[in-house]
Amino acid sequence: MRKERVGFAVCGSFCTHQKVLRALETLTERYETVIPIVSEISAFTDTRFGTSEKLLERLEDLTGRDVLFDIPSVEPIGPKGLLDVLVIAPATGNTIAKLAAGITDSVVTMAAKAHLRNDRPVVIAVSSNDGLSAGARNIAELLVRKNYYFVPFGQDNALQKPTSLVADFGQLLDTVDAALRGEQLQPILLR
């Protein structure tokens, strides 16, 4: 088991949560310490994809830790140096836009801000219906910033949702390993 401490933040792209949980399961098999974090919307919203209660239970079962779901619980990540890497999976267009603009008004953006103050990597697993339209500039902004690493991504349904992008969650573990070495996993764009 690797000793680096991983924060794992889940945002509200509910249709990808099952894939994200499978990726988290793989991550917990390699990393001893994984701290679960959820956005406010994920913590309190039931959808056709499942209930928030089941999501929180599954995150706690996989990691063996309580889920952090409010700003006061994630703010100490920075001052206390609690993480070696922060994963945001799925990273919605809304969260990516806030990160690109430096807005820290949510649990996940506060976790990222707090973590980045320690000059450590943030791994982004994009899942956005507008990634190739309104969200493209925000993704581009993070692609050129220090300490941001992307799980390889591509169009998930080019004909029916031509602007939608989604990460290959099967490559999340390899992306985390690369980010901890200061490297972007390549190729970043999937065919």
Side-chain angles (χ1 to χ4, degrees), residues 40-82:
E40 294 88 335
I41 196 81
S42 295
F44 301 110
T45 304
D46 297 340
T47 71
R48 64 187 170 104
F49 299 104
T51 67
S52 58
E53 182 179 347
K54 291 221 181 278
L55 174 65
L56 298 177
E57 286 175 7
R58 185 69 177 133
L59 289 167
E60 289 179 353
D61 287 346
L62 285 171
T63 64
R65 297 180 177 277
D66 291 338
V67 176
L68 307 180
F69 58 87
D70 60 15
I71 288 176
S73 67
V74 298
E75 187 276 332
I77 287 171
K80 294 184 177 180
L82 297 179

Side-chain angles (χ1 to χ4, degrees), residues 79-122:
K80 294 184 177 180
L82 297 179
L83 304 175
D84 296 299
V85 61
L86 174 64
V87 175
I88 304 175
T92 61
N94 185 56
T95 295
I96 291 169
K98 288 180 178 188
L99 292 171
I103 298 170
T104 55
D105 65 350
S106 71
V107 174
V108 175
T109 57
M110 177 57 78
K113 174 189 175 186
H115 176 68
L116 284 165
R117 75 184 272 175
N118 295 317
D119 201 28
R120 295 179 181 163
V122 174

Side-chain angles (χ1 to χ4, degrees), residues 1-7 31-35 65 82:
M1 294 284 275
R2 290 184 60 161
K3 301 293 184 193
E4 294 96 337
R5 299 155 300 163
V6 179
Y31 289 92
E32 189 174 292
T33 302
V34 179
I35 299 170
R65 297 180 177 277
L82 297 179

